[in-house]
Amino acid sequence: MAGRISDEDIALVRERSPIADVVGEHIQLRNAGGGNLKGLCPFHEEKTPSFNVTPARGYWYCFGCTEGGDVITFIRRLEHLSFGEAVERLAGRAGIRLRYEQGGYVPGREQGERSRLIEAHRAAAEFYAAKLTDPEAAPGRRFLAERGFERADAERFGVGYAPAEWEALSRHLMARGFTAAELIKGGLAKEGRRGPIDRFRGRLIWPIRDITGDVIGFGARKLNDAEDGPKYLNTPESPLYKKSEVLYGVDLAKREISRRSQAVIVEGYTDVMACHLAGVPTAVATCGTAFGAEHIKVLRRLLLDQSGSQGEVVFTFDGDAAGQKAALRAFADEQKFVTQTYVAVQPSGLDPCDLRVRHGDAAVRDLIASKEPLFAFAIRSVISRYDVSTNEGRLSALDAAAPIVAGIKDRALRQLYAVDLDRWLGFNNERFVMERIAEIAGTAARQAQPAGPRRVAELTDPGVRTEAEVLKLAVQRPALLGARFDGVGPEAFTLPEHVALYKLILEVGGAAVAEAGGREWVDRLIAAAGEDLRGMVTRFAVEELRVDSAVEDRYAAGLLAALELVSVNRAIEQLKSRLERTGAGESPEEYNRLFAELFELERERRTLKERAAGS
C-alpha cells in the first residue's frame, strides 16, 4: 500500500509549481490588473473570462462556476486525479523526488496509477522511436520519405516503429518493472493466452501527447495494405486516453495557437507534420474520432475565445463528398465558438501532406490563406445538390439552405448571408428570400423549449458589499486593518457566511497578527476553514480589490468606518428605545446616563460617517 507523501515535500511541490505557469500550460492567461491574470475557465462553458489567477498568493478562482483553490486543486480538477496523484504529477514536472512516510521511498511503487501509466507510455515512445532505425523498419522510413519527411522530422514528432513481434514492447516494459496489468490497462498491450501481447505490431507509430507534453497514447498506421486490420489503429480508451478530448499536435501547437489566435484542424498525423514543417504551426488533428464538443473546449481555452475575439478556427477537408460531409458536421458545432470559423478545401482533393509533396511548403500556406467562412461553405454545399437552372431547383435549394441561414445567431450576419443566398440562387428578390428564411426561423423559435430562469448571484446591497470588501482586505491585506478589524465583532456582519468567515479569521489569530498576510496567511485560513468556507476564502484571496494601491490605507480606514457604523447605528437605536421606556420623570439619573451615552454614540457616528465618506 502506498505511503503518505511527506508534508515537507507537498510544500516544496507547491513552492516549485508557480500557479501562473501551471495554469498557463492549459489555458491562455492575460493580465487583468492588480497582479491578477484572467482566462476562460476550463471547468465550465463561458464566453467572457471569469477565471482569475493570483500568482502572489498562489490561488485561482472562477467567478462563473465558483470553483477555486491552489495549484494542486487545479491539477486535481483538470485531470480528475486524487490528491496524491496530483502532487506526483506536479512533482514530476518540477523534478522533485518525493518521500513517502510509512516505509520511505521505494522507486516505482508508491506512485499513483496515472503516474505509472505516464511513465510506461514515455518508455514505450522511446522504444518505438529507437526501433525506427532498425532494418525491419525500412518500409516505415520509406513511407515517411515518400511523404517528404526526413529523419530529423521523424525525430521532431517522435515517430517510431512497432516491431512485428508479438511481445517486443511488452517484454521491454516488463523488464523495466511495469506489470502486465499496467500495460493492458494503459492500452499498450492486450491479454494473450500466455500473457500480454503488443497492441501495435509492424506499424509506423505516432506518439499522442496531451497539452502538457505527456505521452498518453499512440496512433499506428499499417505499412502493408495486404495485411488484416484497419489502416489506422489508435490506443483504446484508458485512464489516460479519452479520444473525444485528444488533439494530436496540441502540445507543439498550443503556444502558436495562443499567440496567433488561430487553430487549424486537419485530418491526420502526416497532415499535422506537413503543416508545421510548411510554416503553419497551429495545426492539430483529432485521433480516430470526429471533431466534437470536447475538442472545442480545448481550443477555446487556448484561443481565449470570447466576445469580440478576432481569432479564427480553420477546418481543412478533402474536396470530395466525404470531406464536404465532414465540413458540414463541423458546421453543427460552429456556433459553440465565438471566434470566426473557416473551411479550407483544396480543389483537387489533396490533403496538406500530399499538397506539400507535390507543390511545396508555400502551397500549404496558400491553402490556409484561401480559407472560406464556414457559413458560406455550408450554404454553397447544400446549393450544389440542386439544379439551380430551374425554378423548381432554385426553390428547393432555398428551402434546404434557409435553415442554415436561419440558424445564424448574429442577426446582422444572418441578413448578409440571406442577401448572398439570394445572389447565389439568382432570384434577385431579397425580400422574398428573407421572408422565407424568417418564416423558417419563426417556426424553429416556436418549437424551441423556453430556457429556465437563470440565477445570478450578485451582492447588490451596499452594506453587504462593504462587508465583502472588508473581508477581502482581511484575507489579502490584513495589515491595513489590524486590531481594529478584530474588534468590530461578528454582529457587524449581516450575511451568515460573512459572520462565519469573520470568526474564522479571529480563530487563526486575527488581522492583528497576520501582518502583511500573503500566501502563508491564506494557507492558514484555507487549512482552518471547513468545506463550506474554503471557496469564499479562495474567492476573496483572488478577487481584485476595488482601489489603487496608492490609496489602500485610506480605503481600508473608510471601509472599517462604514462597517463600524453598522454597529453604532444599531446601538443608537437600542438606546433610543430604552430612553423611551425609561422616561425623564420616572428615573432622572438613569435617563441622564442613557442620554449622555447616546450623545457620545451620535458623535462617534458623525466621525465614522466622515471617515467612510473620505474613503
Side-chain angles (χ1 to χ4, degrees), residues 367-380:
L367 170 64
I368 306 305
S370 68
K371 61 188 182 292
E372 177 183 17
L374 186 53
F375 283 131
F377 179 84
I379 295 168
R380 286 179 180 274

Side-chain angles (χ1 to χ4, degrees), residues 275 277-280 355 360-371:
C275 283
L277 295 171
V280 183
L355 186 63
D361 292 348
V364 177
R365 296 193 297 270
D366 289 344
L367 170 64
I368 306 305
S370 68
K371 61 188 182 292

Side-chain angles (χ1 to χ4, degrees), residues 264-517:
V264 175
I265 316 300
V266 297
E267 293 194 306
Y269 309 121
T270 57
D271 292 333
V272 170
M273 294 175 68
C275 283
H276 281 249
L277 295 171
V280 183
T282 57
V284 295
T286 59
C287 300
T289 186
F291 186 83
E294 295 303 315
H295 300 122
I296 290 174
K297 290 180 182 178
V298 174
L299 290 181
R300 289 194 70 230
R301 295 198 297 268
L302 292 174
L303 289 163
L304 197 65
D305 189 21
Q306 59 180 296
S307 179
S309 172
Q310 297 301 307
E312 60 182 38
V313 176
V314 183
F315 294 92
T316 66
F317 299 104
D318 294 344
D320 58 14
Q324 289 195 5
K325 185 177 180 181
L328 291 175
R329 281 200 306 269
F331 171 79
D333 286 323
E334 193 278 341
Q335 293 182 94
K336 292 181 181 177
F337 287 106
V338 178
T339 48
Q340 301 174 70
T341 49
Y342 298 87
V343 172
V345 177
Q346 215 284 327
S348 58
L350 297 176
D351 58 33
C353 181
D354 292 336
L355 186 63
R356 178 173 178 263
V357 171
R358 296 193 191 183
H359 303 291
D361 292 348
V364 177
R365 296 193 297 270
D366 289 344
L367 170 64
I368 306 305
S370 68
K371 61 188 182 292
E372 177 183 17
L374 186 53
F375 283 131
F377 179 84
I379 295 168
R380 286 179 180 274
S381 295
V382 169
I383 291 174
S384 67
R385 303 172 190 166
Y386 300 89
D387 180 5
V388 294
S389 65
T390 66
N391 288 332
E392 292 80 3
R394 283 199 297 273
L395 188 60
S396 296
L398 172 59
D399 287 347
I404 297 175
V405 180
I408 299 174
K409 295 178 181 178
D410 187 306
R411 183 177 179 182
L413 193 61
R414 185 167 66 242
Q415 185 168 348
L416 289 174
Y417 274 110
V419 173
D420 285 341
L421 180 56
D422 173 60
R423 178 166 50 85
W424 293 334
L425 292 175
F427 281 110
N428 296 319
N429 189 339
E430 293 177 5
R431 181 176 179 181
F432 168 71
V433 171
M434 288 180 179
E435 287 177 350
R436 192 81 168 184
I437 292 171
E439 181 181 342
I440 290 174
T443 300
R446 287 191 295 271
Q447 292 174 346
Q449 293 294 323
R454 184 181 179 185
R455 296 185 60 191
V456 181
E458 292 182 328
L459 299 176
T460 55
D461 180 82
V464 173
R465 286 205 302 269
T466 297
E467 295 175 20
E469 281 295 296
V470 171
L471 289 169
K472 195 191 304 179
L473 280 171
V475 172
Q476 293 188 25
R477 306 277 200 280
L480 295 173
L481 302 175
R484 192 172 150 203
F485 168 84
D486 299 339
V488 297
E491 63 275 2
F493 299 89
T494 54
L495 289 187
E497 55 266 37
H498 287 176
V499 174
L501 180 53
Y502 176 78
K503 290 180 178 179
L504 173 69
I505 292 169
L506 295 187
E507 286 173 10
V508 297
V513 302
E515 298 179 345

